[in-house]
Amino acid sequence: MKQVPALKIDGITLSQSLAIIHYLEETRPNPSLLPQDPKKRAQVRMIADHIVSGIQPLQNLGVLKQIGERKMEWAQNYISSGFQALEQILQHTAGRYCVGDEVSMADLCLVPQVANAERFKVDMGPYPTITRINKALLELEAFKVSHPCRQPDTPAELRA
């Protein structure tokens, strides 16, 4: 599909964020990206799916090329709509991070989506929980170095 991410690992190439995350969880389980508690696990999966299936695909370059000149308005609309629902969910699940106080796969999905929101100039004022969690995550070294604005193939205008 000529999309990112893609990961070459263990003799295979994987694409799609959640497939990669699940593979890493299953083959390199320390630290775990899923809580032990089944209810919290379900919440983590729900939040991750909400982001990667309900918000993010609507800002893929292929979609935005089809939208044309209205791409900024389009992206803002769908990010805001998704964030309204996500903010309500996180108000019930969050501790320091998306679900409790341990980093989970939901957090791995949140940070790049907030970066997209910033890229499309979404007003983050209505989303204090999302903003707080993202700020806490960006204090962690793993999130600092893996942030979309710090990748070698990031266009110059989007680099940190």
Side-chain angles (χ1 to χ4, degrees), residues 28-104:
R28 291 150 178 88
N30 291 315
S32 181
L33 297 173
L34 288 169
Q36 290 300 311
D37 177 81
K39 290 177 183 173
K40 287 185 177 182
R41 260 180 196 251
Q43 290 172 325
V44 165
R45 289 180 172 129
M46 172 184 66
I47 293 165
D49 281 341
H50 178 81
I51 295 167
V52 304
S53 298
I55 304 173
Q56 191 280 327
L58 297 165
Q59 300 123 65
N60 279 342
L61 291 178
V63 172
L64 294 177
K65 286 179 184 176
Q66 295 295 318
I67 300 302
E69 293 178 14
R70 295 185 52 231
K71 69 182 177 183
M72 182 71 79
E73 177 186 348
W74 168 275
Q76 288 172 343
N77 178 57
Y78 285 102
I79 294 169
S80 296
S81 176
F83 274 10
Q84 286 171 11
L86 182 60
E87 179 71 19
Q88 291 178 10
I89 293 167
L90 293 174
Q91 287 173 0
H92 298 284
T93 65
R96 182 159 173 78
Y97 307 119
C98 286
V99 178
D101 296 325
E102 299 296 324
V103 173
S104 71

Side-chain angles (χ1 to χ4, degrees), residues 67-147:
I67 300 302
E69 293 178 14
R70 295 185 52 231
K71 69 182 177 183
M72 182 71 79
E73 177 186 348
W74 168 275
Q76 288 172 343
N77 178 57
Y78 285 102
I79 294 169
S80 296
S81 176
F83 274 10
Q84 286 171 11
L86 182 60
E87 179 71 19
Q88 291 178 10
I89 293 167
L90 293 174
Q91 287 173 0
H92 298 284
T93 65
R96 182 159 173 78
Y97 307 119
C98 286
V99 178
D101 296 325
E102 299 296 324
V103 173
S104 71
M105 70 173 56
D107 300 298
L108 273 59
C109 297
L110 181 70
V111 170
Q113 185 53 62
V114 173
N116 264 352
E118 292 167 350
R119 178 175 145 216
F120 289 108
K121 301 180 181 7
V122 171
D123 175 11
M124 294 299 292
Y127 317 114
T129 310
I130 293 171
T131 300
R132 177 185 59 74
I133 294 167
N134 187 66
K135 182 178 178 186
L137 289 164
L138 291 176
E139 292 173 2
L140 303 174
E141 187 63 22
F143 284 88
K144 288 178 187 176
V145 300
S146 64
H147 194 277

